[in-house]
Amino acid sequence: MALKGNLRDFSTTQLLNLINLARKTGTLTVERNSKEVARMSFREGSLIFASVSHGNSRLSNILERAGKLSAEQANTIRKERGKAGDKELGMMLINAGLVSQADIIESVRRHTLEIVYRQFTWGEGVFRFDANVLPPPERITVPINLEGVIMEGSRRLKEGERLQDELPDLDMALKFADRPSAGIRNISLAVEEWRVVSFINPRNTIRQIAKANSMSDVQIRRIVYGMMHAGLVELVPCEGAKPTEPDRPERVAPGKRPAPMAQAPAVKRSVVMRLIDRIRRI
Amino acid sequence: MQTVKMVVTGTFSAGKTEFIRSISEIDVVQTERKITNPAEQIKESTTVAMDFGRITVDDDLVLYLFGTPGQRRFDFMWEILSEGMLGFVVMVDSTRAETFQESKRILDTFRTYAPTPFVVAANKQDHPDAWEPSDLRIVLRIDPEVKVLPCVALEKDSVKTVLLELLYSILDSVEDEGESS
Ligand SMILES: Nc1nc2c(ncn2[C@@H]2O[C@H](COP(=O)(O)OP(=O)(O)O)[C@@H](O)[C@H]2O)c(=O)[nH]1
Ligand SMILES: [Mg+2]
């Protein structure tokens, strides 16, 4: 009767499939390392809400994180209306014209999905499904079709695994592809990717690039993977010479940065001659 | 394989994209603000317009051309981009005097990033309203040893000339057979 176990033996994908097919109502609690706890609630097989032990899931926080309320507004609300239930608070905010109903629904939905997708990547954790246990009635819930969630969650999970597989070694370096693929036309670089692009050089390891940009392993993996996929860059063994200032502090306010590198290009005369020769022939 | 890069900078609409497009052997990768991931829609404008072109010299030498993003709030990327560049081109829209001051500011900013050679391209010289390169030199207070070149970014030969002039300046600045590469 009780749905209990460990994700090692029964994955999140399998669990959600079961909940979906059996149209279950209740709350799934997953605990990892006996401190991180995620709770996901379902009504008749649809995901309706999620929360985590280490993050606040009250409406004021959800709206603040979604950028719908300023930190100041959210603080005032918590101070003055701390006891109001989420539904009551939601009504008040809508009546006051601070947010729209659509804002609330979208923010709760996003909050819920974010937790569930993150949960997909847990390879391990004790779970328990409590039938008919639902969030307190004052909470705002948004029904979300589980099939889409399962598909997207699996996709992200696979992507995560593939990232590990395809980029096993952060000590490799990158170079621009010799023959960029046709798809390169539609490439669109985010600011973070831009930062990475500027460090691409067979002498810089991926790890050094990440460090220079204060990026986590996961972040750099995702960016490098995306650029490899777009055919923009290729992996190469690191040439080992001096890195491009990997310790250079990033994110200092523009204008306040220390004068950078200030080195004349370390290039040979013969290289410049070859460039000249080539451009003359164009 | 060695890759070297040059940067093309200048005010918005000066002709950076056209310049790189005229000479690059690949379709210029021109990125635009485009938000593909719904989760990112909350973050405003996550991508930045930039150009990226390439000229293959031979099996082991490739030149990349980067056009700087125009938006001012992405100034911080100029510095990142300028890292390790061989030299740079400052594109000026010769037909629009109201952009000259900004061009000067961009030029000065870039010079602080790296003491690499650069040239000024007085672009849109095919346009009847274009200022003469010699007048631009005065207005922009360009040192006599820096080249101010007439340019029509739409024409490959004109772009070639500008790049070659920049390369000649680079050649002058390179010590005889420098040690490192
Ligand atoms: N007549 C003329 N138009 C040009 C020239 N260079 C660029 N343009 C035009 O000026 C506009 C801005 O050029 P673009 O390369 O997009 O500027 P960017 O913002 O610096 O990248 C476009 O409409 C170009 O076609 C030129 O040399 N002559
Ligand atoms: Mg452009």
Side-chain angles (χ1 to χ4, degrees):
Chain A
M1 175 76 211
L3 219 50
K4 277 184 184 174
N6 194 302
L7 293 178
R8 273 195 307 259
D9 315 309
F10 202 77
S11 69
T12 301
T13 314
Q14 288 173 306
L15 273 172
L16 297 192
N17 260 323
L18 173 66
I19 291 167
N20 180 40
L21 291 175
R23 300 177 61 80
K24 285 184 182 295
T25 297
T27 294
L28 176 68
T29 307
V30 187
E31 188 175 329
R32 180 162 75 160
N33 306 329
S34 57
K35 38 180 203 284
E36 257 183 296
V37 182
R39 281 196 184 80
M40 290 154 274
S41 301
F42 307 86
R43 185 179 286 122
E44 295 186 4
S46 284
L47 173 65
I48 56 166
F49 194 70
S51 60
V52 279
S53 53
H54 50 277
N56 199 316
S57 299
R58 298 309 302 254
L59 184 62
S60 56
N61 297 79
I62 292 174
L63 290 172
E64 185 187 345
R65 276 197 301 275
K68 301 295 177 196
L69 290 178
S70 69
E72 206 182 339
Q73 287 172 323
N75 273 331
T76 312
I77 288 165
R78 281 189 285 271
K79 222 179 292 157
E80 294 177 7
R81 304 282 172 171
K83 288 197 208 79
D86 280 358
K87 280 183 184 157
E88 188 188 342
L89 178 64
M91 285 309 289
M92 275 176 352
L93 293 175
I94 291 170
N95 288 336
L98 284 172
V99 297
S100 67
Q101 184 174 347
D103 287 339
I104 293 181
I105 291 174
E106 187 48 29
S107 302
V108 171
R109 188 184 142 82
R110 224 173 246 183
H111 158 87
T112 303
L113 285 173
E114 197 180 301
I115 291 175
V116 175
Y117 289 145
R118 210 176 308 135
Q119 211 278 311
F120 260 88
T121 62
W122 294 12
E124 210 263 345
V126 180
F127 67 80
R128 185 185 76 231
F129 185 83
D130 294 302
N132 301 318
V133 172
L134 287 174
E138 50 87 13
R139 292 301 173 101
I140 296 172
T141 59
V142 177
I144 305 169
N145 185 322
L146 262 187
E147 275 152 35
V149 175
I150 294 167
M151 247 154 58
E152 176 63 14
S154 320
R155 193 190 66 74
R156 291 191 188 198
L157 183 64
K158 277 206 206 84
E159 183 185 271
E161 285 165 355
R162 211 167 45 213
L163 289 183
Q164 290 286 353
D165 278 1
E166 296 205 11
L167 267 187
D169 190 358
L170 293 179
D171 292 319
M172 293 284 277
L174 295 170
K175 70 178 187 78
F176 288 110
D178 295 335
R179 273 172 220 82
S181 60
I184 205 168
R185 216 183 228 276
N186 299 319
I187 204 167
S188 170
L189 297 188
V191 172
E192 295 295 298
E193 293 166 328
W194 249 97
R195 292 180 176 277
V196 172
V197 161
S198 68
F199 282 96
I200 289 177
N201 184 309
R203 285 193 297 246
N204 292 339
T205 65
I206 298 171
R207 198 183 302 284
Q208 284 167 331
I209 296 175
K211 195 174 165 216
N213 289 301
S214 317
M215 287 176 184
S216 70
D217 285 5
V218 176
Q219 276 175 306
I220 190 83
R221 281 203 156 98
R222 186 174 304 132
I223 289 172
V224 171
Y225 181 79
M227 296 200 302
M228 280 169 63
H229 230 70
L232 188 62
V233 299
E234 290 167 2
L235 281 180
V236 287
C238 183
E239 286 175 9
K242 55 188 175 191
T244 315
E245 306 230 22
D247 293 325
R248 191 156 65 82
E250 281 295 325
R251 290 174 207 289
V252 181
K256 292 201 179 151
R257 312 183 63 159
M261 52 278 160
Q263 275 159 17
V267 69
K268 284 185 182 160
R269 223 180 148 73
S270 56
V271 168
V272 183
M273 295 297 289
R274 274 153 75 200
L275 289 168
I276 289 173
D277 193 47
R278 172 73 180 91
I279 289 172
R280 277 194 186 134
R281 282 187 284 112
I282 286 176
Chain B
M1 162 77 85
Q2 184 177 10
T3 58
V4 291
K5 76 174 171 193
M6 302 209 286
V7 171
V8 181
T9 187
T11 57
F12 174 74
S13 197
K16 302 179 292 292
T17 300
E18 291 293 353
F19 185 93
I20 295 177
R21 182 177 293 160
S22 292
I23 196 114
S24 174
E25 68 201 17
I26 54 169
D27 283 330
V28 170
V29 181
Q30 197 195 1
T31 68
E32 274 148 42
R33 180 174 162 193
K34 192 167 102 191
I35 296 162
T36 38
N37 178 359
E40 281 189 13
Q41 267 165 14
I42 20 173
K43 277 194 287 167
E44 249 220 318
S45 106
T46 44
T47 64
V48 182
M50 73 126 176
D51 309 298
F52 175 75
R54 190 189 64 179
I55 298 169
T56 303
V57 176
D58 51 39
D59 279 352
D60 42 35
L61 182 60
V62 175
L63 168 67
Y64 286 99
L65 295 172
F66 286 95
T68 56
Q71 303 96 315
R72 238 176 208 249
R73 67 206 154 96
F74 295 118
D75 279 13
F76 71 93
M77 287 201 288
W78 295 356
E79 182 186 332
I80 296 176
L81 253 196
S82 60
E83 193 144 2
M85 66 184 170
L86 225 50
F88 60 99
V89 178
V90 182
M91 303 286 296
V92 180
D93 183 341
S94 315
T95 66
R96 291 179 57 215
E98 65 271 29
T99 65
F100 295 167
Q101 203 182 334
E102 173 74 356
S103 304
K104 175 72 176 157
R105 187 188 77 89
I106 293 174
L107 193 162
D108 288 340
T109 308
F110 256 84
R111 287 182 67 171
T112 63
Y113 292 152
T116 54
F118 67 97
V119 297
V120 176
N123 195 33
K124 309 196 185 179
Q125 286 297 318
D126 58 324
H127 198 283
D129 294 341
W131 287 43
E132 300 279 327
S134 53
D135 291 338
L136 279 179
R137 175 187 290 283
I138 296 165
V139 176
L140 298 175
R141 297 188 302 279
I142 308 291
D143 293 340
E145 69 272 17
V146 174
K147 295 165 189 162
V148 181
L149 306 157
C151 179
V152 180
L154 310 170
E155 292 169 10
K156 187 188 275 186
D157 281 337
S158 175
V159 172
K160 259 175 74 172
T161 306
V162 171
L163 279 183
L164 283 171
E165 288 297 338
L166 174 58
L167 282 163
Y168 298 148
S169 296
I170 293 168
L171 195 63
D172 284 345
S173 75
V174 176
E175 312 279 309
D176 281 336
E177 251 351 85
E179 349 68 278
S180 52
S181 63

